[in-house]
Amino acid sequence: MHTILLKEILTERTWHMRFAAPLIARKCQAGQFFMLRIHENGERIPLTIANWDREAGTIDIFFQEIGATTELLASMKEGDSILDVVGPLGNPTHVEKLDGTFVMVGGGFGIAAGYPVARAFKEAGNRVIAVLGAKTRSLLICEDLLKGVCDEVLVATNDGSYGTQGMVSDVLQGLLDGGEKIVLVYPVGPPIMMKVISQMTMPLKLKTIVSLNSVMVDGTGMCGSCRVTVAGRTRFVCSEGIDFDGHEVNWDEMMSRQKMYSRQEKEALEHYHEHGGCQGGCR
Ligand SMILES: Cc1cc2nc3c(=O)[nH]c(=O)nc-3n(C[C@H](O)[C@H](O)[C@H](O)COP(=O)(O)OP(=O)(O)OC[C@H]3O[C@@H](n4cnc5c(N)ncnc54)[C@H](O)[C@@H]3O)c2cc1C
Ligand code: FES
């Protein structure tokens, strides 16, 4: 059992939680994730390890309530426990001293997922810029956290309520036009955003590493659920990623596979609402 030590709401339907998970906290590195299961009948879901404290034995997550499992997790309180966690999973992001600027581009929960990676590149002695995107100012998360580890934090909101009005790609274009010597772009967030950024940087031959969030079941390379095509080859995101060259990902296939369980996800959410929070164990 893993106790929830801290729970705070960040924006409507986005939460920050801290769990006791000493074995994961001891080993995890930037770019890795873990899988959690709330109770015996629950599904396992993958979540990025956004922060950790090795001495205290804790890990932090930032998550959006978008379906049955994340709604159930959001309904839990400090002091409650989840049944089990598996991790750290995935390969750590390759971090090195670069000959130019590292730009992390984050959208949605991807902002929190990009935080440990931005921090690791800063710790490796790089100039680091974070470009954060949100629909509107009240939905922006982790800005202060990123300000603590980046040389610059730039924001784009769709409605112009904060930062630049537009998309993260507009802000990245502004950096490129302004002569920033960018050598590595790291988009993390909604697949469509990662696709657009990758398409933008491809003709510039600007290295772009994406953090893929395909649908995962076991998270250890055995089920094939998370498969994507990269450079014409089938790859398993959980065991061979989660970072890949954004210029080589078959984005259309990746995005269509994101929707492959839509019917079951809808049914699970309806069941969850009808049965007062049960995820199937009461059937
Ligand atoms: C490596 C990785 C890291 C992630 N990190 C975070 C994070 O830090 N914060 C966060 O809010 N979300 C994160 N996600 C997405 C998160 O796993 C899904 O939001 C969650 O599984 C949804 O479950 P649900 O039952 O609430 O919703 P559902 O209704 O089951 O699903 C809603 C949508 O979430 C996606 N999804 C569903 N199940 C999975 C699954 N098993 N694996 C991946 N995606 C799924 C699908 O696109 C689906 O359409 C991550 C995903 C991956 C693969
Ligand atoms: S989640 Fe099963 S192979 Fe990746």
Side-chain angles (χ1 to χ4, degrees):
M1 300 292 270
H2 298 267
T3 309
I4 298 169
L5 303 169
L6 179 139
K7 176 191 178 188
E8 59 176 348
I9 189 155
L10 300 182
T11 70
E12 195 194 345
R13 299 180 79 79
T14 306
W15 299 87
H16 170 207
M17 269 188 186
R18 179 167 300 151
F19 294 97
L23 295 180
I24 295 180
R26 195 184 298 163
K27 289 174 64 180
C28 62
Q29 293 180 57
Q32 291 188 294
F33 67 100
F34 73 112
M35 306 214 43
L36 69 74
R37 190 167 58 133
I38 297 176
H39 58 75
E40 208 155 318
N41 299 302
E43 63 167 354
R44 288 182 204 285
I45 62 161
L47 293 165
T48 304
I49 308 164
N51 211 349
W52 55 87
D53 182 328
R54 299 205 199 281
E55 276 186 25
T58 60
I59 58 170
D60 288 35
I61 58 167
F62 294 80
F63 70 96
Q64 284 171 339
E65 254 182 274
I66 56 164
T69 303
T70 47
E71 278 201 20
L72 178 62
L73 188 60
S75 73
M76 298 177 78
K77 304 184 293 297
E78 288 177 7
D80 288 347
S81 295
I82 56 165
L83 180 65
D84 52 44
V85 294
V86 183
L89 299 170
N91 298 296
T93 296
H94 176 71
V95 178
E96 61 184 329
K97 174 78 177 83
L98 303 168
D99 182 28
T101 304
F102 171 82
V103 179
M104 188 280 281
V105 183
F109 80 79
I111 295 176
Y115 163 72
V117 177
R119 183 179 61 189
F121 272 91
K122 187 66 202 162
E123 285 169 358
N126 294 294
R127 174 168 162 75
V128 175
I129 298 178
V131 178
L132 315 181
K135 279 194 187 134
T136 187
R137 182 174 192 163
S138 62
L139 295 178
L140 182 68
I141 60 165
C142 300
E143 186 189 6
D144 288 341
L145 208 54
L146 279 149
K147 278 184 175 165
V149 299
C150 294
D151 295 281
E152 267 185 75
V153 176
L154 305 169
V155 177
T157 50
N158 296 3
D159 64 0
S161 52
Y162 189 47
T164 302
Q165 173 160 25
M167 316 296 267
V168 282
S169 48
D170 300 323
V171 176
L172 181 61
Q173 189 62 57
L175 283 171
L176 292 165
D177 294 345
E180 182 77 40
K181 189 188 169 197
I182 302 171
V183 292
L184 178 56
V185 179
Y186 187 85
V188 47
I192 184 68
M193 179 275 271
M194 296 192 282
K195 176 183 175 181
V196 166
I197 298 287
S198 299
Q199 286 181 337
M200 185 179 156
T201 57
M202 187 144 63
L204 306 174
K205 296 190 170 46
L206 172 51
K207 190 172 174 186
T208 301
I209 301 295
V210 294
S211 172
L212 294 184
N213 49 0
S214 51
V215 174
M216 295 185 183
V217 175
D218 68 308
T220 58
M222 288 186 286
C223 70
S225 161
C226 65
R227 78 175 162 77
V228 289
T229 304
V230 181
R233 276 180 58 208
T234 296
R235 309 291 295 269
F236 290 173
V237 174
C238 66
S239 56
E240 298 180 80
I242 52 175
D243 292 345
F244 290 95
D245 183 335
H247 299 160
E248 296 184 336
V249 173
N250 181 333
W251 289 105
D252 294 340
E253 179 200 57
M254 196 239 157
M255 289 192 288
S256 86
R257 285 182 60 79
Q258 285 291 100
K259 300 186 205 119
M260 67 185 164
Y261 296 116
S262 298
R263 184 178 56 79
Q264 290 88 340
E265 286 157 0
K266 188 166 169 278
E267 283 171 10
L269 190 60
E270 283 166 3
H271 181 90
Y272 175 79
H273 288 156
E274 279 165 23
H275 295 259
C278 163
Q279 277 202 311
C282 65
R283 271 178 183 156

